[in-house]
Amino acid sequence: MTISTTIIKNSYSGDGSNLDFTYSFKISADSEMLVIIRSSTGTETTKTLTTNYTVSGAGDAGGGTVSFVSGQAPASTETVILRRNTTQTQALDLIENDNLPANSLETAFDKNLAIAQELQEQLDRSFKVSRTT
């Protein structure tokens, strides 16, 4: 499956009752979802998978849903940030004279692209000096 978007995060305003928030980017595993709640004062709290929320749609190119557990609905003064957080490891093991399934290769390329997109997003948020400096 391909990665057809450069989006790596979605942001929503809480309302005190909504438990489900969609994300529009591909993650390969539930553990690649980073959920952050930002208060009106700017305090950021990272939530914990299964304790505070669950994820559906891992592996789907179009994304899926983050569902907060009962009693964990973000308040109307809070912002929900859903970010892809890809583990920076390499799991593809190429064996001499062995078959190379296209799906295995594409998964490895997708992971590398996901990591590159996340690094670019960090660069886009950083301070920069002129290219001629």
Side-chain angles (χ1 to χ4, degrees):
M1 192 170 289
T2 62
I3 295 179
S4 58
T5 181
T6 58
I7 296 170
I8 69 158
K9 69 180 176 181
N10 294 119
S11 180
Y12 300 97
S13 296
D15 64 6
S17 62
N18 187 22
L19 294 172
D20 299 324
F21 298 88
T22 59
Y23 61 94
S24 57
F25 47 87
K26 180 183 176 184
I27 60 172
S28 295
D30 294 354
S31 60
E32 290 184 356
M33 179 59 69
L34 180 63
V35 177
I36 303 169
I37 301 295
R38 187 175 57 225
S39 72
S40 59
T41 61
T43 302
E44 294 182 356
T45 304
T46 301
K47 296 300 183 177
T48 304
L49 179 63
T50 66
T51 302
N52 303 114
Y53 66 93
T54 59
V55 178
S56 64
D60 294 344
T65 303
V66 168
S67 299
F68 285 88
V69 299
S70 182
Q72 298 279 325
S76 60
T77 58
E78 296 175 323
T79 303
V80 179
I81 296 93
L82 309 177
R83 294 182 59 89
R84 186 177 61 214
N85 188 34
T86 307
T87 306
Q88 295 183 4
T89 58
Q90 196 283 104
L92 180 63
D93 186 17
L94 301 175
I95 300 169
E96 194 74 33
N97 297 318
D98 199 15
N99 289 334
L100 178 59
N103 192 43
S104 297
L105 196 57
E106 186 172 21
T107 298
F109 282 140
D110 285 354
K111 184 171 186 175
N112 285 334
L113 178 59
I115 291 168
Q117 288 177 337
E118 291 163 26
L119 292 172
Q120 184 61 53
E121 191 272 341
Q122 289 178 29
L123 286 170
D124 291 346
R125 287 186 290 111
S126 66
F127 292 106
K128 296 176 183 70
V129 295
S130 168
R131 288 178 278 180
T132 60
T133 298

